């Protein structure tokens, strides 16, 4: 159960993140922003993810992996609708930047790997971690065509709402 949950978590979390590049042009065009607004939002996301990672890992150790994943998933799922309804650059910075960055830190490889390491025997740990990491990486590859199909059919703001609902699965 832990193995399958970790695989699904990483597949969805990082797969959704991989689709963000698809929204640069439509977001910029519809909102009249230059690329720098969306680009800075993603840069903020990466910085927040990196800075928050040690703290979310410590929180997972202290309060439990499940609670950390729930909090991360909720932050992630809250950031996407904020971006979907953004009217100012600040909305983008807070939504896809800060909230999604925090959410990613709570639904990331380190959280999943910690959970796997606690339940898998030493002899099988390397294999389990490799498989979980691989499936998470496959999500980054597989979600992009799905995101593009949704983007073509429904528009970027609707797709971000749909992705928010998908993230709630985590």
């Amino acid at each position: 159960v832990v193995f399958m949950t970790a695989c699904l978590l990483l597949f969805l979390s990082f797969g959704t993140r991989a689709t963000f590049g698809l929204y640069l042009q439509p977001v910029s065009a519809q909102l009249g922003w230059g690329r720098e607004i969306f680009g800075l939002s993603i840069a903020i996301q990466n910085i927040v993810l990196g800075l928050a990672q040690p703290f979310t890992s410590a929180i997972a150790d202290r309060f439990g992996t499940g609670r950390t994943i729930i909090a991360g998933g909720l932050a992630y799922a809250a950031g996407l609708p904020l971006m979907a309804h953004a009217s100012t650059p600040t909305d983008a910075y807070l939504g896809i930047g800060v909230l999604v960055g925090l959410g990613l830190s709570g639904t990331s490889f380190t959280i999943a790997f910690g959970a796997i390491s606690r339940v898998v025997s030493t002899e099988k740990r390397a294999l389990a971690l490799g498989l979980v990491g691989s499936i998470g990486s496959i999500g980054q590859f597989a979600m992009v065509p799905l995101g593009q199909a949704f983007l073509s059919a429904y528009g970027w703001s609707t797709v971000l709402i749909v992705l928010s609902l998908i993230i709630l699965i985590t």
Side-chain angles (χ1 to χ4, degrees):
V1 170
V2 173
F3 176 80
M4 294 305 293
T5 303
C7 290
L8 181 62
L9 171 71
L10 295 178
F11 185 94
L12 294 176
S13 178
F14 283 94
T16 297
R17 180 182 189 224
T19 68
F20 292 160
L22 300 172
Y23 312 118
L24 172 66
Q25 286 183 330
V27 167
S28 298
Q30 184 172 341
L31 298 177
W33 296 345
R35 296 185 278 240
E36 67 279 357
I37 303 292
F38 192 83
L40 181 57
S41 299
I42 298 300
I44 290 169
Q45 178 191 108
N46 288 328
I47 291 168
V48 169
L49 170 60
L51 291 175
Q53 195 72 75
F55 299 103
T56 53
S57 296
I59 289 168
D61 285 342
R62 180 165 171 98
F63 298 106
T65 301
R67 289 183 179 132
T68 305
I69 291 170
I70 289 170
L74 291 173
Y76 199 152
L80 294 173
L82 184 56
M83 180 63 205
H85 300 295
S87 58
T88 67
T90 302
D91 295 337
Y93 301 149
L94 290 174
I96 208 164
V98 175
L99 286 173
V100 170
L102 288 172
L104 279 163
S105 73
T107 60
S108 67
F109 285 99
T110 57
I111 303 300
F113 286 176
I116 292 295
S117 294
R118 285 190 291 277
V119 299
V120 174
S121 68
T122 306
E123 299 81 34
K124 296 182 182 181
R125 190 170 296 148
L127 176 62
L129 292 174
L131 289 171
V132 169
S134 297
I135 291 171
S137 296
I138 289 170
Q140 294 178 61
F141 171 75
M143 292 282 290
V144 173
L146 180 64
Q148 182 63 55
F150 282 179
L151 181 62
S152 297
Y154 304 111
W156 68 270
S157 60
T158 301
V159 175
L160 288 175
I161 299 298
V162 170
L163 289 173
S164 177
L165 296 173
I166 289 172
I167 287 299
L168 287 176
I169 294 170
T170 66

